Amino acid sequence: MLNLRLCILVLSLASASSVSAQVTITEYAVPTNASGSSGISAGPDSNLWFAEYSGQQIARITPAGVITEFPSGGYPYQITKGPDGNLWFTGDYGNLVGTITTSGVITEFAVPTGSSRPFGITAGPDGNLWFTEVSGNQIGKITTGGVFTEYAIPTSGSTPIGITAGPDGNLWFTENVGKIGKITTTGLITEYPMPTLGSQPDWITVGPDGNLWFTEDNTTVNKIRRITTAGVATGFSVPTAASRPFGITAWRDGNLWFTEGNGNNIGRITTGGVIMEFPVPTAGSAPDFITAGPDGNLWFTENAANKIGRVTAPLYNLCLLYDPTKSVKSGSTLPIKLQLCDGSGADLSSSSITLHATSVTQTSTSISGTVEDPGNANPDNDFRFDSTLGTTGGYIFNLKTSGLATGTYNLNFTVTGDSSVYAAPFQVW
């Protein structure tokens, strides 16, 4: 059962309390011991693909958790889906860029600059693959046929790490010395110094708001930062001190999700900068990279625990338009009024989204009962959309509490397009 965060709303209808959202994290052991799982990406075959740095393998994991490994060599580090229907990866100390088909056939290409340490990699808007060279101080481009071009970064010793295709048709990359770089597909580079020197920007992605978002894993700085395509940066502190935020990705809930290597958490940040953290079950797992999976979940690598993690999270938050701490008399009718919200509390409710009540659960004993509603106020146990609720509309379910003993309960329901089960709490006396 997933209990959703209840947004605090100061409305004329009610004042709601707030509790923490919960997600479910499932872990799968990697067959090769101490494999050093690192980069992970959704593949074109509806599976997830990840790199095993120490194990020197590329691996595939199905949404059901079945793992298959393919020997690669080259110390593979990060991996991405290519424009040719294959996966492409960097081989750090192997000084190579490789490709693997979904059937496991690997081809490797040596980077022209020796000991360049290719690290991050992404598909570009031009149909090529773009990658960073940590020691080579360059941004590299490789065609799907294996032809390389390299571009020198203006700042000496910049230590480029992550790279992503931006919303502006350019490639954006991090420089571990404390800068963010932008490179056009013709090779023109612009650099933007960050407010804090030595902030150690690492991995970068495009957010749902059209900005670039990246992690700063300096344990003192400890921020998630946003940068516009004009180069204006804003930082948000991670609640867990010295957590070392690392991998980051956008997800279908309109937020960004990231890993905390030292904090052993998976973090979620809204585009407004509100952060929540969720602990990884295995202590000291060192969560590394994270990606949105083709199955609607989030997947991440656990570098120290030698596992792959899956995050199952609800698509919406619940903003309650009633006070769940006030009890109603058993047998009376309780109007359950609520909105579907994003992580910042913005209303996402719509008449096109159906909320269907499934059961009532007493949280102290987990005894479930059937849903009762008075008359035909909620036909087929569906919530009724009401455009007058709140400021932008919401839902109402008139719940009959006959037969319910004194206690705390959840009204459980599903939402169109989401496999999660939602719960609206209430109390009976």
mmCIF file of all heavy atoms in Angstrom, residues 354-359 371-384 397 412-414:
data_model
loop_
_atom_site.group_PDB
_atom_site.id
_atom_site.type_symbol
_atom_site.label_atom_id
_atom_site.label_comp_id
_atom_site.label_asym_id
_atom_site.label_seq_id
_atom_site.Cartn_x
_atom_site.Cartn_y
_atom_site.Cartn_z
ATOM 1 N N THR A 354 -9.855 9.407 -14.013
ATOM 2 C CA THR A 354 -10.831 8.748 -13.143
ATOM 3 C C THR A 354 -10.159 8.191 -11.894
ATOM 4 O O THR A 354 -9.134 7.511 -11.981
ATOM 5 C CB THR A 354 -11.533 7.601 -13.885
ATOM 6 O OG1 THR A 354 -12.213 8.128 -15.024
ATOM 7 C CG2 THR A 354 -12.531 6.893 -12.987
ATOM 8 N N LEU A 355 -10.758 8.466 -10.736
ATOM 9 C CA LEU A 355 -10.346 7.891 -9.470
ATOM 10 C C LEU A 355 -11.389 6.856 -9.076
ATOM 11 O O LEU A 355 -12.582 7.185 -8.952
ATOM 12 C CB LEU A 355 -10.237 8.961 -8.378
ATOM 13 C CG LEU A 355 -8.965 9.802 -8.320
ATOM 14 C CD1 LEU A 355 -8.716 10.538 -9.626
ATOM 15 C CD2 LEU A 355 -9.024 10.777 -7.147
ATOM 16 N N HIS A 356 -10.961 5.612 -8.895
ATOM 17 C CA HIS A 356 -11.887 4.515 -8.618
ATOM 18 C C HIS A 356 -11.603 3.916 -7.251
ATOM 19 O O HIS A 356 -10.515 3.370 -7.011
ATOM 20 C CB HIS A 356 -11.771 3.438 -9.699
ATOM 21 C CG HIS A 356 -12.683 2.272 -9.479
ATOM 22 N ND1 HIS A 356 -14.050 2.341 -9.680
ATOM 23 C CD2 HIS A 356 -12.424 0.997 -9.066
ATOM 24 C CE1 HIS A 356 -14.593 1.170 -9.398
ATOM 25 N NE2 HIS A 356 -13.634 0.331 -9.028
ATOM 26 N N ALA A 357 -12.568 4.027 -6.340
ATOM 27 C CA ALA A 357 -12.405 3.491 -4.990
ATOM 28 C C ALA A 357 -12.467 1.967 -5.026
ATOM 29 O O ALA A 357 -13.323 1.375 -5.695
ATOM 30 C CB ALA A 357 -13.495 4.042 -4.077
ATOM 31 N N THR A 358 -11.540 1.319 -4.293
ATOM 32 C CA THR A 358 -11.450 -0.137 -4.325
ATOM 33 C C THR A 358 -11.743 -0.796 -2.985
ATOM 34 O O THR A 358 -12.279 -1.904 -2.945
ATOM 35 C CB THR A 358 -10.052 -0.581 -4.787
ATOM 36 O OG1 THR A 358 -9.057 -0.009 -3.914
ATOM 37 C CG2 THR A 358 -9.785 -0.125 -6.217
ATOM 38 N N SER A 359 -11.364 -0.152 -1.869
ATOM 39 C CA SER A 359 -11.573 -0.773 -0.562
ATOM 40 C C SER A 359 -11.342 0.231 0.545
ATOM 41 O O SER A 359 -10.809 1.324 0.320
ATOM 42 C CB SER A 359 -10.633 -1.970 -0.372
ATOM 43 O OG SER A 359 -9.286 -1.525 -0.322
ATOM 44 N N VAL A 371 -16.289 -0.964 -0.211
ATOM 45 C CA VAL A 371 -16.575 0.462 -0.205
ATOM 46 C C VAL A 371 -18.081 0.659 -0.227
ATOM 47 O O VAL A 371 -18.785 0.015 -0.997
ATOM 48 C CB VAL A 371 -15.939 1.143 -1.437
ATOM 49 C CG1 VAL A 371 -16.306 2.617 -1.471
ATOM 50 C CG2 VAL A 371 -14.437 0.971 -1.401
ATOM 51 N N GLU A 372 -18.563 1.527 0.661
ATOM 52 C CA GLU A 372 -19.974 1.867 0.664
ATOM 53 C C GLU A 372 -20.124 3.352 0.412
ATOM 54 O O GLU A 372 -19.377 4.150 0.965
ATOM 55 C CB GLU A 372 -20.623 1.529 2.016
ATOM 56 C CG GLU A 372 -20.723 0.046 2.301
ATOM 57 C CD GLU A 372 -21.548 -0.216 3.549
ATOM 58 O OE1 GLU A 372 -22.731 0.197 3.579
ATOM 59 O OE2 GLU A 372 -21.008 -0.823 4.481
ATOM 60 N N ASP A 373 -21.055 3.724 -0.456
ATOM 61 C CA ASP A 373 -21.351 5.126 -0.649
ATOM 62 C C ASP A 373 -22.859 5.304 -0.636
ATOM 63 O O ASP A 373 -23.602 4.405 -1.037
ATOM 64 C CB ASP A 373 -20.756 5.654 -1.966
ATOM 65 C CG ASP A 373 -21.326 4.951 -3.176
ATOM 66 O OD1 ASP A 373 -22.369 5.402 -3.659
ATOM 67 O OD2 ASP A 373 -20.730 3.949 -3.626
ATOM 68 N N PRO A 374 -23.347 6.449 -0.137
ATOM 69 C CA PRO A 374 -24.782 6.633 -0.005
ATOM 70 C C PRO A 374 -25.450 6.924 -1.345
ATOM 71 O O PRO A 374 -25.002 7.773 -2.103
ATOM 72 C CB PRO A 374 -24.885 7.843 0.937
ATOM 73 C CG PRO A 374 -23.633 8.599 0.710
ATOM 74 C CD PRO A 374 -22.587 7.578 0.395
ATOM 75 N N GLY A 375 -26.506 6.162 -1.628
ATOM 76 C CA GLY A 375 -27.270 6.438 -2.837
ATOM 77 C C GLY A 375 -26.438 6.282 -4.093
ATOM 78 O O GLY A 375 -25.610 5.395 -4.214
ATOM 79 N N ASN A 376 -26.649 7.179 -5.031
ATOM 80 C CA ASN A 376 -25.928 7.126 -6.309
ATOM 81 C C ASN A 376 -24.981 8.301 -6.456
ATOM 82 O O ASN A 376 -24.700 8.764 -7.552
ATOM 83 C CB ASN A 376 -26.911 7.093 -7.470
ATOM 84 C CG ASN A 376 -27.797 8.339 -7.514
ATOM 85 O OD1 ASN A 376 -27.699 9.202 -6.637
ATOM 86 N ND2 ASN A 376 -28.652 8.423 -8.529
ATOM 87 N N ALA A 377 -24.496 8.818 -5.271
ATOM 88 C CA ALA A 377 -23.602 9.974 -5.324
ATOM 89 C C ALA A 377 -22.304 9.640 -6.031
ATOM 90 O O ALA A 377 -21.675 10.491 -6.644
ATOM 91 C CB ALA A 377 -23.318 10.475 -3.906
ATOM 92 N N ASN A 378 -21.853 8.380 -5.938
ATOM 93 C CA ASN A 378 -20.622 7.944 -6.590
ATOM 94 C C ASN A 378 -20.883 6.644 -7.343
ATOM 95 O O ASN A 378 -20.501 5.563 -6.893
ATOM 96 C CB ASN A 378 -19.499 7.764 -5.564
ATOM 97 C CG ASN A 378 -19.085 9.062 -4.923
ATOM 98 O OD1 ASN A 378 -19.588 9.408 -3.859
ATOM 99 N ND2 ASN A 378 -18.182 9.789 -5.564
ATOM 100 N N PRO A 379 -21.515 6.717 -8.482
ATOM 101 C CA PRO A 379 -21.827 5.501 -9.247
ATOM 102 C C PRO A 379 -20.551 4.755 -9.628
ATOM 103 O O PRO A 379 -19.520 5.362 -9.921
ATOM 104 C CB PRO A 379 -22.552 6.035 -10.483
ATOM 105 C CG PRO A 379 -22.127 7.463 -10.600
ATOM 106 C CD PRO A 379 -21.923 7.937 -9.193
ATOM 107 N N ASP A 380 -20.628 3.428 -9.561
ATOM 108 C CA ASP A 380 -19.492 2.553 -9.924
ATOM 109 C C ASP A 380 -18.273 2.779 -9.033
ATOM 110 O O ASP A 380 -17.152 2.437 -9.413
ATOM 111 C CB ASP A 380 -19.100 2.747 -11.397
ATOM 112 C CG ASP A 380 -20.255 2.460 -12.343
ATOM 113 O OD1 ASP A 380 -20.999 1.497 -12.074
ATOM 114 O OD2 ASP A 380 -20.417 3.210 -13.316
ATOM 115 N N ASN A 381 -18.489 3.365 -7.845
ATOM 116 C CA ASN A 381 -17.392 3.625 -6.901
ATOM 117 C C ASN A 381 -16.331 4.566 -7.471
ATOM 118 O O ASN A 381 -15.172 4.536 -7.052
ATOM 119 C CB ASN A 381 -16.741 2.321 -6.432
ATOM 120 C CG ASN A 381 -17.591 1.602 -5.402
ATOM 121 O OD1 ASN A 381 -18.411 2.218 -4.724
ATOM 122 N ND2 ASN A 381 -17.406 0.303 -5.283
ATOM 123 N N ASP A 382 -16.692 5.378 -8.423
ATOM 124 C CA ASP A 382 -15.784 6.389 -8.953
ATOM 125 C C ASP A 382 -15.979 7.711 -8.213
ATOM 126 O O ASP A 382 -17.103 8.078 -7.862
ATOM 127 C CB ASP A 382 -16.036 6.623 -10.441
ATOM 128 C CG ASP A 382 -15.590 5.468 -11.303
ATOM 129 O OD1 ASP A 382 -14.811 4.627 -10.807
ATOM 130 O OD2 ASP A 382 -16.022 5.392 -12.469
ATOM 131 N N PHE A 383 -14.879 8.401 -7.968
ATOM 132 C CA PHE A 383 -14.951 9.748 -7.424
ATOM 133 C C PHE A 383 -15.647 10.652 -8.447
ATOM 134 O O PHE A 383 -15.547 10.422 -9.655
ATOM 135 C CB PHE A 383 -13.554 10.301 -7.155
ATOM 136 C CG PHE A 383 -12.892 9.770 -5.912
ATOM 137 C CD1 PHE A 383 -12.551 8.420 -5.798
ATOM 138 C CD2 PHE A 383 -12.581 10.617 -4.859
ATOM 139 C CE1 PHE A 383 -11.920 7.933 -4.672
ATOM 140 C CE2 PHE A 383 -11.945 10.143 -3.727
ATOM 141 C CZ PHE A 383 -11.617 8.799 -3.622
ATOM 142 N N ARG A 384 -16.301 11.670 -7.968
ATOM 143 C CA ARG A 384 -16.937 12.649 -8.860
ATOM 144 C C ARG A 384 -16.036 13.874 -8.989
ATOM 145 O O ARG A 384 -15.573 14.419 -7.989
ATOM 146 C CB ARG A 384 -18.301 13.066 -8.300
ATOM 147 C CG ARG A 384 -19.016 14.134 -9.114
ATOM 148 C CD ARG A 384 -20.456 14.284 -8.656
ATOM 149 N NE ARG A 384 -20.542 14.575 -7.231
ATOM 150 C CZ ARG A 384 -20.459 15.807 -6.704
ATOM 151 N NH1 ARG A 384 -20.262 16.855 -7.498
ATOM 152 N NH2 ARG A 384 -20.573 15.987 -5.413
ATOM 153 N N PHE A 397 -15.669 11.933 -2.908
ATOM 154 C CA PHE A 397 -16.296 10.630 -2.729
ATOM 155 C C PHE A 397 -17.028 10.665 -1.398
ATOM 156 O O PHE A 397 -16.420 10.867 -0.349
ATOM 157 C CB PHE A 397 -15.253 9.505 -2.730
ATOM 158 C CG PHE A 397 -15.851 8.132 -2.796
ATOM 159 C CD1 PHE A 397 -15.984 7.477 -4.003
ATOM 160 C CD2 PHE A 397 -16.314 7.496 -1.646
ATOM 161 C CE1 PHE A 397 -16.551 6.209 -4.081
ATOM 162 C CE2 PHE A 397 -16.885 6.228 -1.709
ATOM 163 C CZ PHE A 397 -17.008 5.586 -2.928
ATOM 164 N N ASN A 412 -8.917 3.372 -0.160
ATOM 165 C CA ASN A 412 -7.958 3.027 -1.203
ATOM 166 C C ASN A 412 -8.589 3.185 -2.581
ATOM 167 O O ASN A 412 -9.756 2.833 -2.779
ATOM 168 C CB ASN A 412 -7.478 1.588 -1.010
ATOM 169 C CG ASN A 412 -6.963 1.345 0.393
ATOM 170 O OD1 ASN A 412 -6.127 2.090 0.892
ATOM 171 N ND2 ASN A 412 -7.475 0.311 1.049
ATOM 172 N N PHE A 413 -7.801 3.696 -3.522
ATOM 173 C CA PHE A 413 -8.339 3.923 -4.863
ATOM 174 C C PHE A 413 -7.221 3.910 -5.895
ATOM 175 O O PHE A 413 -6.039 4.029 -5.577
ATOM 176 C CB PHE A 413 -9.110 5.251 -4.921
ATOM 177 C CG PHE A 413 -8.297 6.479 -4.602
ATOM 178 C CD1 PHE A 413 -7.686 7.220 -5.610
ATOM 179 C CD2 PHE A 413 -8.155 6.909 -3.284
ATOM 180 C CE1 PHE A 413 -6.942 8.352 -5.313
ATOM 181 C CE2 PHE A 413 -7.411 8.048 -2.979
ATOM 182 C CZ PHE A 413 -6.810 8.773 -3.992
ATOM 183 N N THR A 414 -7.629 3.726 -7.131
ATOM 184 C CA THR A 414 -6.688 3.748 -8.254
ATOM 185 C C THR A 414 -6.936 5.000 -9.085
ATOM 186 O O THR A 414 -7.983 5.636 -8.986
ATOM 187 C CB THR A 414 -6.839 2.502 -9.131
ATOM 188 O OG1 THR A 414 -8.183 2.421 -9.611
ATOM 189 C CG2 THR A 414 -6.501 1.240 -8.347
#
